[in-house]
C-alpha cells in the first residue's frame, strides 16, 4: 500500500527503499553463516545516480511501531472501550508511513 521513500544523500532524488536494495546471495559471509542459515550482503544503491548510501533508523522504527502496538493492546486491559483496538488498527494500517518518518539515508 505505502512505499518507504527516502531521499538519496548524493543526488537528492526521492527513491523507494525497495528499489534501492540489492542483495548479493553469491557472497556468503562466513562469520555470520551457519549450516542452516546463510547470510548474504545487502547493498543500497541509488538507481538514478548509481552511488551507494547507508540507511539508518530501520531497527529503531520497527521497535517504535512494535512498542506502540503492544502498549495500545495492554491499555485495552485497563480501558473498557474499543478505542485501543482502533489505535492498534490505525498503527498497523499506517505502519509504513510511521517508519518512513524515522528512516534516514546518509552517505556511506
Amino acid at each position: 500500500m505505502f512505499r518507504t521513500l527516502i531521499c538519496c544523500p548524493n543526488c537528492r532524488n526521492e527513491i523507494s527503499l525497495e528499489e534501492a536494495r540489492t542483495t548479493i546471495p553469491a557472497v556468503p559471509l562466513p562469520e555470520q553463516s551457519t549450516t542452516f542459515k546463510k547470510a548474504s550482503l545487502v547493498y543500497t544503491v541509488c538507481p538514478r545516480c548509481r552511488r551507494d548510501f547507508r540507511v539508518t533508523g530501520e531497527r529503531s522504527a520497527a521497535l517504535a511501531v512494535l512498542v506502540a502496538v503492544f502498549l495500545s493492546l495492554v491499555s485495552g486491559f485497563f480501558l473498557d472501550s474499543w478505542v485501543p483496538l482502533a489505535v492498534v488498527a490505525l498503527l498497523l494500517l499506517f505502519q509504513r508511513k510511521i517508519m518512513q518518518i524515522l528512516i534516514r539515508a546518509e552517505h556511506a
Side-chain angles (χ1 to χ4, degrees):
M1 187 156 101
F2 294 117
R3 296 183 331 173
T4 305
L5 298 175
I6 54 176
C7 185
C8 175
N10 300 311
C11 64
R12 299 287 182 219
N13 284 328
E14 193 171 73
I15 57 172
S16 168
L17 183 61
E18 291 81 15
E19 65 185 29
R21 290 280 162 98
T22 304
T23 305
I24 302 177
V27 183
L29 300 174
E31 63 272 0
Q32 295 179 356
S33 297
T34 62
T35 306
F36 301 108
K37 181 187 115 188
K38 301 294 181 203
S40 59
L41 297 174
V42 177
Y43 290 106
T44 48
V45 178
C46 178
R48 295 193 177 102
C49 67
R50 300 286 183 213
R51 296 182 72 187
D52 61 335
F53 58 91
R54 184 173 43 206
V55 178
T56 59
E58 285 183 290
R59 288 185 182 171
S60 61
L63 184 67
V65 170
L66 191 64
V67 165
V69 167
F70 280 127
L71 285 177
S72 299
L73 286 175
V74 168
S75 71
F77 290 118
F78 302 109
L79 299 174
D80 193 24
S81 175
W82 55 270
V83 174
L85 292 177
V87 170
V88 169
L90 285 174
L91 282 171
L92 293 177
L93 184 65
F94 292 107
Q95 166 184 340
R96 290 277 195 161
K97 281 294 182 188
I98 295 168
M99 291 183 74
Q100 182 176 340
I101 293 169
L102 299 172
I103 294 175
R104 298 283 177 244
E106 57 188 37
H107 291 282

